[in-house]
Amino acid sequence: MTGSAREFVVEADGGSRGNPGPAGYGAVVLDAATGETLVEAAEYLGVVTNNVAEYRGLLAGLRAAAELDPDATVHVRMDSKLVVEQMSGRWKIKHPDMKPLAAEAARVFPPGRVTYEWIPRADNKHADRLANEAMDAGARGEQWSPSTSTAELDAATDRAASAGRTAGSRRSGDRPAAAPAGAGEAADVAAAGGDAPSAGEPLPWTTTRTGAGSAAYGGGEAAVSGGGAIAGERVGRAARTGAGGTAPGAAEAPAAADVRAAKVVASPGWGPPDMGAPATFVLLRHGETPLTPQKRFSGSGGSDPSLSPVGREQAERVAESLARRGTIEAIVASPLARTRETACIVAARLNLAVTVEEGLRETDFGAWEGLTFGEVRDRHPADLDAWLASPDAEPTGGGESFAATATRIAATRDKLVAAYAGRTVLLVSHVTPIKTFLRLALGAPPESLFRMELSAASLSAVAYYADGGASVRLFNETSHLR
C-alpha cells in the first residue's frame, strides 16, 4: 500500500418489496477523516431477494471506493447482520445466489483492507434512502439518477430531527433508551445461511400507532378489544421509512403531516409500472356504542346498537382528519347501525355517498351477544375454550366461526378490489373484519387475531396490487381522537 492511500467508509443497504420482489440497493462512500460524501450509487435490480439486494449494495460501494483509490483501506458499515457476519467470516454462506456476490465483493480489495461493522438501521439512513429511491424509480419504469437524488439531504434532516428529539428528552429529564435491533437484524440472524425476510416495509399512509393495551381477541366490542389481559402480549413495531418520504420533522404542523401522508397513500405502489396504482382500503372501525366501554360482545346477531354521544364525537373527529388528508374517493360501510352512522358522519364532511356492503358486517357471536368475556367464561366455559383454540369453532348457539368470517372477508375483499382498482376507499367496519383484512394481507395465522389491538374509531390501511400482492400501510391509528 502506498503512503498516499486513503481511508474510506462505505455504507450500503438493499431492499426487496416482497422478498423476492421489486428490489434496489444504495451505497455511499465517505471520506473517513472528514465524513464528506464522495460517491453515491443506487440501482433498481428487478425482482430479487432482500439479501441479494444487500450484497449488491455492498459490491457497488466497494467498487466505487476502489475507483477512487485502489490502494485505500475501507470500513464497511451495514445494518444487515447477515452480510456483516458472512463477509467477516463468522457465518457460512449457503445460499447459491449470495455465494458469487460475496466472492466478488471479497476480490475488490486485497484481504485485510476491508473491515465490517453492523450498525442499527437508524444509523444507515443515507444508504437506505438511496435504495428506496432506486426502487421508486423502478416502479416508474426508470433507473435511479444521482441528479434527482435527495437521499443525503433527507438523511441529514432525519438525523437533525432525531437529535432534536433526543435533546428535548434529555432536557425534560428523560434518559433515552438504547435503540433496539430492528426487525431486519433479527431476520438476518435467523437466516444465517440463506435469505432473510424483507427487513421492513415503508410507512406509506401515516404514522403507525399501536394500542397500549393488548387483546386476547378483538371480536366485537368484547373485553378482548380493549385493554384486556387474556393474552397479555404487546405488539412491537419496527418501521422503515421509504417509498418516497422523509418522516415529518418534530416541528411539522399536524395539517402538513396529514397532507404529506395523503400524497404518499395516493402515490403508485411498489410493483412494476404496468400494474398501476393499488386499490387502497382505509379501514375505519366504527365509533363507540353503549356496549363498547362495557366490553361486551356485539356482533351482527345482537341488538345492533347505535353510536353513543362519545361515538358520534369520535366519528366527527375522524371525519375532520380524513378531510385534511383529502384522499378518500368512496365510502363503503357494513349494514349495521353503528357503522352506517359512523360512515354517514364522515360522508357528510367529505361530500360523498355511502355504499352498504353486507360482507363487511361483524361476526355473529351467537348466544354470547351482549355478554362480557367473563360472563361467557362463567356460562359457556367449554365452548369458549374451543373457540379460543380453533378458528373453526363457533360461539355458543351457532354463531360464526373465525374461519367462516375469513372466507366472507376474502370474498368481499376480492369484490371490492375489482370494483375500486387504483382508488382509495374508506371501509367502515368492525373489529373482526378489519383484523381479518390485516391478517390475510400479512399472511398471518388465525391466532394473530388475538394479538392485535383495535380501538374504536381507529384507522388502518391496506393496499392491494394488480399482481395479487398486498401491503399493510397503517394499523390502529388514533391520533385524531386526542
Side-chain angles (χ1 to χ4, degrees):
M1 183 172 64
T2 68
S4 62
R6 302 172 65 182
E7 295 184 6
F8 299 130
V9 172
V10 169
E11 295 177 348
D13 199 9
S16 173
R17 293 167 175 174
N19 199 40
Y25 70 72
V28 56
V29 181
L30 307 170
D31 185 291
T34 66
E36 176 189 1
T37 297
L38 303 175
V39 179
E40 288 181 318
E43 183 182 359
Y44 175 66
L45 299 173
V47 176
V48 300
T49 66
N50 189 65
N51 295 144
V52 167
E54 290 170 335
Y55 264 105
R56 290 289 300 273
L58 167 64
L59 188 56
L62 290 174
R63 285 172 172 169
E67 289 181 5
L68 291 174
D69 187 343
D71 296 322
T73 58
V74 179
H75 184 62
V76 175
R77 293 157 42 94
M78 297 182 68
D79 59 54
S80 170
K81 190 77 170 177
L82 180 71
V83 174
V84 168
E85 293 299 314
Q86 288 181 339
M87 291 303 297
S88 298
R90 292 184 289 270
W91 288 359
K92 292 182 179 180
I93 304 172
K94 299 178 182 178
H95 199 287
D97 291 342
M98 290 188 284
K99 280 185 177 180
L101 293 173
E104 194 172 355
R107 289 194 295 267
V108 176
F109 286 94
R113 291 262 198 91
V114 182
T115 56
Y116 289 87
E117 176 190 2
W118 177 86
I119 58 174
R121 186 172 303 282
D123 294 343
N124 200 29
K125 289 185 176 179
H126 191 167
D128 174 83
R129 298 289 188 185
L130 289 168
N132 276 287
E133 286 185 351
M135 287 184 277
D136 292 340
R140 298 190 299 268
E142 306 169 358
Q143 277 293 348
W144 175 84
S145 170
S147 63
T148 60
S149 175
T150 62
E152 183 173 19
L153 177 61
D154 290 345
T157 301
D158 272 2
R159 285 193 296 269
S162 177
R165 288 191 293 270
T166 301
S169 174
R170 287 173 177 164
R171 282 194 297 271
S172 66
D174 294 333
R175 183 175 181 178
E185 181 200 359
D188 286 340
V189 173
D195 279 347
S198 182
E201 303 292 2
L203 295 173
W205 206 70
T206 187
T207 305
T208 301
R209 298 187 58 83
T210 304
S214 71
Y217 158 55
E221 315 281 348
V224 291
S225 92
I230 302 167
E233 298 181 18
R234 298 197 177 203
V235 180
R237 290 184 292 127
R240 179 178 186 175
T241 305
T246 300
E252 184 176 12
D258 284 337
V259 171
R260 189 189 66 80
K263 289 179 178 178
V264 178
V265 75
S267 66
W270 304 335
D274 59 344
M275 286 202 303
T280 300
F281 293 169
V282 180
L283 305 166
L284 170 61
R285 185 190 170 194
H286 60 80
E288 283 190 12
T289 74
L291 299 182
T292 306
Q294 299 175 27
K295 304 186 186 303
R296 296 183 179 276
F297 284 95
S298 181
S300 59
S303 60
D304 194 15
S306 297
L307 297 180
S308 66
V310 170
R312 285 190 288 275
E313 181 181 355
Q314 290 172 333
E316 290 167 358
R317 290 192 178 191
V318 76
E320 289 300 321
S321 177
L322 292 171
R324 289 195 300 272
R325 289 179 170 93
T327 57
I328 301 300
E329 300 172 77
I331 300 176
V332 183
S334 152
L336 299 182
R338 54 195 181 273
T339 42
R340 286 188 289 106
E341 188 175 358
T342 301
C344 286
I345 290 172
V346 175
R349 180 65 180 83
L350 302 185
N351 196 29
L352 293 171
V354 176
T355 300
V356 173
E357 169 54 55
E358 174 67 24
L360 295 177
R361 60 179 169 78
E362 180 59 286
T363 298
D364 183 345
F365 296 110
W368 301 352
E369 295 279 359
L371 302 180
T372 67
F373 188 90
E375 289 170 342
V376 173
R377 169 67 73 188
D378 291 340
R379 300 181 192 184
H380 311 284
D383 289 349
L384 181 62
D385 287 343
W387 181 72
L388 292 172
S390 171
D392 296 313
E394 297 177 349
T396 305
E400 188 179 21
S401 69
F402 285 162
T405 299
T407 299
R408 167 166 58 87
I409 293 302
T412 303
R413 173 203 62 199
D414 294 345
K415 172 184 174 181
L416 294 176
V417 166
Y420 295 101
R423 303 173 69 188
T424 299
V425 184
L426 182 70
L427 305 186
V428 187
S429 190
H430 310 262
V431 169
T432 317
I434 292 175
K435 287 188 176 184
T436 302
F437 271 106
L438 296 167
R439 179 182 79 77
L440 294 176
L442 292 169
E447 56 265 29
S448 63
L449 294 176
F450 295 87
R451 296 178 173 88
M452 297 186 220
E453 165 78 11
L454 201 68
S455 304
S458 63
L459 291 168
S460 301
V462 183
Y464 298 92
Y465 298 92
D467 66 348
S471 169
V472 174
R473 297 189 163 196
L474 181 70
F475 176 66
N476 199 40
E477 168 62 41
T478 58
S479 62
H480 48 274
L481 302 179
R482 295 194 297 275

